[in-house]
C-alpha cells in the first residue's frame, strides 16, 4: 500500500486525478469504479479540467458506481445518479451507455428482485472486464461504499442498512434532517471492491484522521471495513495533512511512504 500525504484538499484531488487520468490515457477503454460524497468532488473537477483543456478522452470508458440509496429516483438531488451527472458525467464525453450505477428504484419489498439486481450488477462488472481503478472515499466510521462496520470482508453487491452514524453524517445533504436520509442502500461489497485491479482511497479533513489511522496502521477487521485495503496488491491512499495527522511517523508535506 502506498500512502501519500498531501498539503491540502486541492493537492490530494490533483494527485488522485493524475493517477486516474494516467490509466485512462494508457487504456482508453478503462473501467472506472467511482464514488460519491464530498471527498471526490475535487478529483472530478480536475478530471473535467483535463477533459476540457487537455482533451482527456472518456468516450470509451466504462464506469461503475459503488452505491445508491434505496428509494431515491435518479432525479432526486440527493441520489447518487444525480450527483454523478452533476459533478462529472454532464461535463465529460462519457458514453451514457457505458455508465452503470446501482438502481435505487428496485422494488425493495421483493428480496428476490433485489438479489437478482445485485447479481446482475456483479455480472456486468465481470462482462466489462473488471474494474481497472476503484476510487473510494471513507466514512468517519471506516466504511467504504456503504459497507458499514461489521460488513463481511468477502461480501458482494447487496443491500445494506445504514448505521445511525452514517445517516447522521449524511444528514447535511438532506437539510440537516436525519429522518430524510434513506435507511438502506445497494452497495458493491468489500469483495467486489477488492477485485478491482487498483484502489485509490481518498480522505480529507480532521474527522477522517482516526479512520485513516485505523485503515493504514490498524488491524484488518470488519469493524473498519477500509482496513482490508492493506491486503490489496495495488492500493494508494491519498490524504490531506489533516486526514493523515494521526498516522505514525514524521509525515512532512508531500510525504509518500510505502506501508
Ligand atoms: P464524504 O463521504 O466524502 O462525504 O466524507 C465519504 C463516505 O462516506 O464514504
Amino acid at each position: 500500500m502506498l500512502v501519500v500525504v498531501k498539503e491540502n484538499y486541492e493537492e490530494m484531488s490533483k494527485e488522485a486525478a493524475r493517477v486516474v487520468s494516467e490509466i485512462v490515457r494508457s487504456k482508453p477503454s478503462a473501467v472506472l469504479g467511482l464514488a460519491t460524497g464530498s471527498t471526490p468532488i475535487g478529483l472530478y473537477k480536475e478530471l473535467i479540467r483535463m477533459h476540457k483543456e487537455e482533451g482527456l478522452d472518456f468516450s470509451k470508458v466504462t464506469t461503475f458506481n459503488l452505491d445508491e440509496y434505496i428509494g431515491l429516483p435518479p432525479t432526486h438531488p440527493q441520489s447518487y445518479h444525480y450527483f454523478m451527472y452533476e459533478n462529472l458525467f454532464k461535463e465529460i464525453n462519457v458514453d451514457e451507455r457505458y455508465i452503470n450505477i446501482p438502481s435505487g428504484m428496485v422494488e425493495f419489498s421483493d428480496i428476490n428482485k433485489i438479489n437478482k439486481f445485485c447479481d446482475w450488477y456483479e455480472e456486468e462488472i465481470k462482462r466489462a472486464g473488471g474494474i481497472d481503478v476503484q476510487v473510494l472515499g471513507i466514512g468517519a466510521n471506516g466504511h467504504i461504499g456503504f459497507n458499514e462496520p461489521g460488513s463481511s470482508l468477502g461480501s458482494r453487491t447487496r443491500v445494506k442498512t445504514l448505521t445511525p452514524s452514517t445517516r447522521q453524517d449524511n444528514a447535511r445533504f438532506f437539510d440537516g434532517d436525519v429522518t430524510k436520509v434513506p435507511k438502506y442502500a445497494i452497495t458493491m461489497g468489500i469483495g467486489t471492491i477488492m477485485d478491482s485491479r487498483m484502489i485509490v482511497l481518498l480522505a480529507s479533513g480532521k474527522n477522517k484522521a482516526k479512520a485513516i489511522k485505523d485503515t493504514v496502521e490498524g488491524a484488518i477487521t470488519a469493524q473498519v471495513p477500509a482496513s482490508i485495503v492493506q491486503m490489496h496488491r495495488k492500493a494508494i491512499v491519498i490524504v490531506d495533512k489533516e486526514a493523515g495527522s494521526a498516522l505514525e511517523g514524521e509525515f512532512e508535506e508531500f510525504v509518500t511512504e510505502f506501508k
Side-chain angles (χ1 to χ4, degrees), residues 36-40 137-139 143-145 170 172-173 208:
T36 51
S38 33
T39 310
I138 181 170
H143 74 199
I144 44 177
N170 289 1
R172 68 189 195 278
F173 301 116
K208 300 289 173 70

Side-chain angles (χ1 to χ4, degrees), residues 62-176:
T62 298
T63 68
F64 284 92
N65 263 78
L66 280 171
D67 47 14
E68 178 59 287
Y69 289 117
I70 285 181
L72 300 192
T75 49
H76 190 290
Q78 297 313 331
S79 75
Y80 290 162
H81 280 74
Y82 192 92
F83 175 100
M84 288 310 301
Y85 277 88
E86 285 303 306
N87 289 292
L88 183 63
F89 295 151
K90 73 174 190 188
E91 304 289 348
I92 60 174
N93 64 336
V94 63
D95 186 329
E96 291 229 2
R97 291 171 302 171
Y98 302 155
I99 293 173
N100 301 277
I101 306 175
S103 169
M105 298 311 285
V106 186
E107 222 178 295
F108 188 49
S109 52
D110 188 339
I111 193 66
N112 288 328
K113 274 194 187 149
I114 293 216
N115 287 345
K116 231 170 134 181
F117 177 83
C118 292
D119 290 348
W120 173 81
Y121 201 68
E122 290 276 333
E123 281 306 313
E124 286 300 293
I125 294 173
K126 274 200 207 122
R127 231 160 51 92
I131 292 171
D132 288 300
V133 58
Q134 176 65 56
V135 175
L136 296 175
I138 181 170
N141 65 2
H143 74 199
I144 44 177
F146 273 129
N147 295 286
E148 299 284 31
S151 291
S152 157
L153 296 177
S155 51
R156 312 304 306 186
T157 302
R158 69 214 183 292
V159 173
K160 283 297 290 175
T161 308
L162 308 189
T163 60
S165 76
T166 292
R167 292 181 70 222
Q168 194 60 56
D169 283 349
N170 289 1
R172 68 189 195 278
F173 301 116
F174 292 83
D175 311 320

Side-chain angles (χ1 to χ4, degrees), residues 1 136 142 144 152-154 189-191 193-194 199 201 214-216 218-222 224-233 235:
M1 177 176 21
L136 296 175
I144 44 177
S152 157
L153 296 177
I190 297 175
I193 291 167
M194 288 294 285
I199 287 175
L201 188 149
D214 291 347
T215 294
V216 173
I220 297 171
T221 166
V224 183
S227 62
I228 193 68
V229 303
Q230 292 177 33
M231 296 288 289
H232 197 279
R233 275 197 263 173

